[in-house]
Structures are given as C-alpha cells and as structure tokens.
Amino acid sequence: MEKQLENIVIDDAVLVRQCQDGDSAAMQRLIVKYQDRIYNVILKICSNKDDAAELTQETFVKFIEKINTFKMQSAFYTWLFRIAVNLSLNFCRRRFKIKMHSIYTSSGPEGENAREQLRSFFADKREVDPLVAAQNREVGRILVDALGRLEDKQRAAVVLRDIEGMAYAEIAESLDVGIGTVKSRISRGRENLREILKTVLKS
Amino acid sequence: MSDESKQNIDELLSGYVDGELSKRKYNELKRLMEHEPELAEKFSLLKKQRQLLNAMPVETVPEGLFDAVIASQERKFILDEYSASSGESEGIKHLMFRRALTAAVIFVLFGGLIGLIVHIVAPVQQTEPQNYAAGTVDEEDPLFPPLKNIDVPVVAADTPVFRASLDLRTEQAIAMNGYIMKSIFTHRLNGFTDPPVNEGTSSTIRITCGIDSIVELLADLQGEWDKCREANLSVYDHALAKEIVIEKISSTQLMRVFKEDKFYSRMQIARDYADFNKLNPYGSSRLAVNDTIPVAAVKPELTGSKIDRKDRLEGGEKISLVITVTGL
C-alpha cells in the first residue's frame, strides 16, 4: 500500500509548496524526479560527465537556496531548467572554449563504423529506427561532439528542444528570451549542426 | 535566395519539424516542398537529425547526487554559522569602517594641504581705497540705500558715508578737468580716486576719502568756480530716502555743506540750501564765488563751530564724492 502511495505522481506545485515550508522529503522527491533530465541537458551542453555531475549538484543546491523566491508564476521545471542552463552557459563561458576531442580525428574501426552508420542513416530514404543508430556508443559521441561545436546559446536551445523535448514557450521561459529568439536559435542551431554532421560524414 | 529569406524558410522548416507552425503556414510550406525537392530533402534531413538527437541514450545521473546536494548545503550552513559565531562579519564591518575612516582622514588632510598650498601660492588681494564695487555696499542697510546715478564706494560698514554728486557745467571743461586732476594730485588723493570716465562731453571722477581731504580739494576749486556756468550738488538724504538737489550751488554754500563736522547737521544744511536755492534762483548768471548763506537757512545749533574738530579727525568719516564736469 505504501509503495503504491509513493508511486502516485504528486503535482510539482504541491511539492514546491512543501519545499517552501522546509519539507526535506519534498525536496528529495523533486530532486529525484528531475535529476536525470537536468543531468542529461547539462551533459549535452557542456559535453563532459564530471562537469555535468558537478553542475547538476550545483543546480539543486541553488534550487534549495532559491526555492522560497519561486513565485509559482511559471512552471517549476522551466524555472529549474533555467537555473541549470544558466549555470551551464556560465560554466561554458568561464571555460572559454569547450574542451573536446576533435570529431575529425576519431580514427580506428569504431570511429569509421560510427560514421558509416550515421551516413547510411541520413542517406536511407526509408524510415530507419533512429534509436538503433543513436544507441551506438560512437554515434552518440559524434553527436555530442557536434553539439559541442555549436554556439552556446544555439546549443542550449537545440538541446532543450530536440533532447529535452520542451515546447517553444517553455524554452523561451527557461532561457528568459522571446519565442522569436528561440525559433531563430533553434533554426540556426539545427542548420549549423547539419553542416557539421555533413562535414563529419564526408570525411 | 537572399540570406533573410533563406533564414525565414529555415525557421519555417524548423517549425514544421517541431509541429509548431500554424495551419496556414503548414499548408503553405507543404505545397512549397511538393514543388521544390531540395526543400523536401532538407526537411527530411532535419527530421532525421531531430529524431537522432531525440533518440540519444539518456545517461543516468551519478549515484549519491541527493546526498551530495544535502552535504553541500550542510557544509554551507556550517560555514555560515561559523562565520556568524566567530564574528567574522563584525570583523569585516569593523575593517570596512576603519578603511572608510582612514580614507576620510586622508581626504581631509589632503584637502587641508591643498588649501595651505593655495593660501601660500595664491597672490594676496589688496584692498585699496579706490577699489570700489558699485552697488555692493550697504545693500542690506536700510539707512544707506545706494544713490541713484552715483557709484557707491566700498567703506567700512560702521562708518557713515556721506554721498554726494557735484555736477559742474562749464565752457572750459578741459581746463576745469585739468585743474581738478591737478588738485587731486596735489592733495595726494590719486590713490583714492577712480580713473575718470568720459562720456561725450562729460567727464566723471569718483573720490572716496576722509572729509578733510574733500574739504581741501573743494577749497581749491573755489578759485576756479567762476569758470562754471552752473553747479548742482546732489546728496542722498537717508532720513527722507531721496536725493536732495541743491541747484546752482555757490562755492561758499558748497564749502559750508562739507565743512559741517556731523553727518546729520551736514544733511540739514544741504536740505536748507536746496530749499533756499529753489526759492532764489540765480538764473543764467554765473555763480557767485562768495555767495553768503542766509542766516535763516542754517540752524545755528547745527553749524560746525560747536563741533570738536578732533572728533571729525578721529571719527574717520568717509565721504564719497562724484564730480562730473560737463562741457557746454
């Protein structure tokens, strides 16, 4: 019975109110609920697991510190993502340039195999299961590297849209920009990503 | 295709992929893609790219994130507590206060030093008797409002100032002016006299000095009095707050006015002469040098004979006299 109750999805707003009242169990629930999503978004933005883990921790520390200032005027998760994206973008700026291994130098049979897999994925006119392609470890690495080559703001917008699956309005709220800017950043980011992947696949 | 329209189409394609287009734009783009295979190809690639990104494996957050967050919070809390209990913030406040105080002291000392240097280096302004500032004297003293048409000299506030203006009209203006300047020089009044101001046929000088010097100067003028066709003396009557004009004043009358030791008796004589001359005009005749004063016009108790000369000398009374010579 208790197990069943625990599985009930509790509305974010209720948990937030409980957090604001100092309920640490509610805090834990919210953290557990969003930790993977936040971690993945940060990881795609900063391209490094250790940095992503640290930034995720920092995001939730900030969440605890600032939860009393949250006025419920927006969705909780867009507010949380805003903290995560801002921390990540600041981190990227501090680091000046994302340290990444070049996607052009990936050699060896694994790298070549991944590129070949991607090439056939894009060339195939039929519907191919993208999950199969993306689950290849090397393909995933190429994609993360290609994302890492995008401009920080474009990368954040593309990640929130294509990986996190947020709506334009939610992205606008998370990035604290207008919807027009979001559209523009996503469009340019995708176009640039397409160019980067085209170059990789031709090499 | 221009960059702008290319960007617009890219945005539309992006919106199409995301299903964020309005129905009208959706149909429009769909029709466009049917006729442009390149656009359709681009759309297909975008769609695949999106699917690929969307299908990227979800990483699991490293274990113990929640514990790490709580530990981080506790560490922060302990540090804040320590900071509060150890008086660190008080120390910081004290340090800031001391720094501000030091800065203020340095600023004051620096300012003082600058002031001292300026005081030493800057030239000393000498107050000379001829340094008049018209209209600046006695402005707040209701007893001594500034005279109309007469520049007011600067004098000590506690010394009453008898202000007068002597207008001489003559056919020998140059000679008269020369004589006046010579007299000024002779009596060493040049240091107490402003440079003459010439306007048309008129020449004006301002003298501010002790009454004795003025009397000596006017005594000299007596010898030249017959050169004047007309002489008028204006004095400011503080009691009546108006100018008293003694028209066609004779040299004797002039001397009597200025020889009076006391300010108020001098004013009284001036009033009497003003009234008397109005009733007894000389017409166009030349001024009499030794014009006698009507006994009735002067009140005996106000004449200077009874006044101690020493009082006049020590009183330091200053006279401001403006002499205007106008050529006819």
Side-chain angles (χ1 to χ4, degrees):
Chain A
M1 183 68 179
E2 277 181 15
K3 190 80 178 168
Q4 268 184 323
L5 280 174
E6 266 192 1
N7 288 336
I8 292 172
V9 178
I10 301 173
D11 186 36
D12 280 359
V14 176
L15 287 172
V16 168
R17 270 192 212 99
Q18 288 171 350
C19 284
Q20 287 174 336
D21 292 339
D23 185 345
S24 58
M27 281 180 197
Q28 187 171 2
R29 280 186 181 218
L30 279 173
I31 291 172
V32 170
K33 184 177 177 182
Y34 287 106
Q35 60 183 12
D36 283 340
R37 287 170 72 180
I38 293 286
Y39 175 72
N40 274 279
V41 164
I42 293 174
L43 179 63
K44 302 302 183 297
I45 294 175
C46 74
S47 312
N48 181 288
K49 285 187 176 179
D50 293 336
D51 293 338
E54 204 171 306
L55 287 167
T56 305
Q57 185 183 320
E58 212 177 313
T59 300
F60 286 112
V61 169
K62 270 223 168 352
F63 146 68
I64 293 171
E65 283 174 0
K66 305 274 181 188
I67 190 65
N68 284 321
T69 65
F70 179 58
K71 305 280 185 211
M72 303 271 195
Q73 285 165 349
S74 60
F76 167 71
Y77 89 104
T78 54
W79 178 75
L80 188 64
F81 273 87
R82 184 190 289 191
I83 295 175
V85 170
N86 283 340
L87 282 173
S88 305
L89 292 180
N90 286 340
F91 173 79
C92 291
R93 270 194 286 273
R94 276 204 307 274
R95 202 168 49 172
F96 188 67
K97 194 179 176 182
I98 294 171
K99 191 184 168 187
M100 47 185 281
H101 37 265
S102 171
I103 52 181
Y104 301 105
T105 56
S106 54
S107 56
E110 279 188 355
E112 187 51 45
N113 184 38
R115 275 199 291 273
E116 188 53 45
Q117 202 177 340
L118 269 179
R119 237 178 256 132
S120 60
F121 174 76
F122 282 113
D124 206 328
K125 301 288 177 195
R126 297 164 299 161
E127 287 297 316
V128 182
D129 188 359
L131 195 62
V132 177
Q135 273 176 351
N136 178 304
R137 202 171 138 264
E138 277 300 301
V139 171
R141 196 180 61 77
I142 290 174
L143 287 174
V144 170
D145 286 352
L147 275 173
R149 295 182 71 79
L150 290 179
E151 203 181 285
D152 291 346
K153 288 173 179 175
Q154 289 177 5
R155 183 168 60 251
V158 170
V159 165
L160 290 178
R161 175 64 214 172
D162 289 344
I163 296 174
E164 181 50 35
M166 277 188 179
Y168 283 3
E170 290 170 335
I171 299 170
E173 214 168 87
S174 295
L175 299 179
D176 201 17
V177 293
I179 286 186
T181 310
V182 170
K183 283 181 188 173
S184 168
R185 283 184 189 173
I186 290 174
S187 163
R188 287 177 186 213
R190 280 174 176 165
E191 182 62 21
N192 291 337
L193 191 65
R194 194 170 65 85
E195 289 296 322
I196 292 165
L197 286 174
K198 202 159 77 178
T199 315
V200 174
L201 297 179
K202 276 182 185 170
S203 66
Chain B
M1 192 185 291
S2 70
D3 283 350
E4 199 180 340
S5 61
K6 183 181 175 295
Q7 193 187 320
N8 283 339
I9 287 178
D10 283 348
E11 273 185 33
L12 282 173
L13 274 177
S14 199
Y16 190 86
V17 170
D18 292 330
E20 296 262 358
L21 288 187
S22 64
K23 200 171 180 185
R24 188 180 61 82
K25 281 186 178 174
Y26 176 87
N27 289 330
E28 216 171 281
L29 197 66
K30 202 174 174 185
R31 270 200 303 277
L32 203 64
M33 280 195 293
E34 281 169 7
H35 294 94
E36 285 192 35
E38 271 183 28
L39 210 59
E41 173 70 17
K42 202 172 182 178
F43 167 71
S44 169
L45 282 174
L46 269 180
K47 197 178 163 189
K48 283 192 171 181
Q49 184 178 291
R50 184 173 179 269
Q51 285 173 339
L52 201 60
L53 287 173
N54 194 239
M56 278 175 79
V58 176
E59 301 278 345
T60 311
V61 73
E63 276 186 22
L65 177 83
F66 179 74
D67 294 337
V69 170
I70 297 302
S72 171
Q73 274 295 107
E74 280 174 355
R75 200 164 47 244
K76 217 167 186 180
F77 178 74
I78 290 165
L79 283 172
D80 288 349
E81 281 283 293
Y82 172 76
S83 167
S85 62
S86 64
E88 198 175 300
S89 58
E90 285 299 314
I92 289 168
K93 277 182 194 167
H94 182 66
L95 186 66
M96 292 305 289
F97 174 72
R98 283 183 62 180
R99 280 182 184 171
L101 196 66
T102 310
V105 168
I106 289 171
F107 183 74
V108 168
L109 284 176
F110 188 70
L113 190 65
I114 295 285
L116 191 66
I117 290 168
V118 168
H119 181 71
I120 292 166
V121 173
V124 179
Q125 284 188 337
Q126 290 185 348
T127 308
E128 293 184 9
Q130 73 271 26
N131 184 18
Y132 305 123
T136 58
V137 175
D138 298 336
E139 281 183 353
E140 291 178 8
D141 188 349
L143 279 176
F144 299 100
L147 270 175
K148 287 176 189 173
N149 303 324
I150 297 176
D151 288 332
V152 182
V154 176
V155 292
D158 56 348
T159 308
V161 179
F162 182 82
R163 298 185 183 94
S165 178
L166 180 63
D167 296 318
L168 302 173
R169 291 174 180 270
T170 174
E171 288 151 344
Q172 301 173 48
I174 296 171
M176 196 67 187
N177 273 323
Y179 190 80
I180 291 169
M181 292 312 290
K182 188 182 166 192
S183 291
I184 286 170
F185 186 76
T186 306
H187 295 290
R188 296 180 180 178
L189 290 175
N190 44 321
F192 300 87
T193 307
D194 272 359
V197 177
N198 297 312
E199 277 181 25
T201 57
S202 296
S203 176
T204 304
I205 54 163
R206 292 176 292 183
I207 311 161
T208 302
C209 59
I211 185 135
D212 290 344
S213 302
I214 290 285
V215 169
E216 285 168 4
L217 177 72
L218 294 178
D220 276 5
L221 279 183
Q222 277 190 304
E224 302 296 312
W225 205 252
D226 59 344
K227 289 177 182 162
C228 297
R229 184 177 286 276
E230 190 179 322
N232 299 318
L233 181 74
S234 305
V235 296
Y236 190 80
D237 189 337
H238 300 285
L240 299 174
K242 67 172 188 179
E243 271 187 60
I244 299 167
V245 182
I246 308 168
E247 292 170 355
K248 296 185 175 61
I249 190 169
S250 69
S251 65
T252 311
Q253 287 174 334
L254 186 73
M255 291 308 292
R256 288 296 301 272
V257 170
F258 280 91
K259 274 186 175 178
E260 278 304 320
D261 293 340
K262 297 289 185 187
F263 181 87
Y264 291 104
S265 56
R266 197 180 304 129
M267 288 305 300
Q268 185 57 54
I269 286 186
R271 283 184 209 119
D272 290 344
Y273 277 139
D275 293 341
F276 178 78
N277 285 10
K278 268 181 195 166
L279 295 170
N280 301 282
Y282 292 109
S284 59
S285 64
R286 287 195 178 270
L287 296 174
V289 177
N290 295 312
D291 187 32
T292 54
I293 310 165
V295 177
V298 182
K299 293 176 182 174
E301 66 273 18
L302 293 176
T303 51
S305 59
K306 293 178 184 173
I307 297 165
D308 188 6
R309 183 169 178 78
K310 193 183 171 212
D311 185 29
R312 183 172 67 182
L313 291 171
E314 291 178 354
E317 187 186 354
K318 291 277 195 302
I319 297 283
S320 169
L321 178 64
V322 176
I323 302 175
T324 304
V325 178
T326 306
L328 293 172

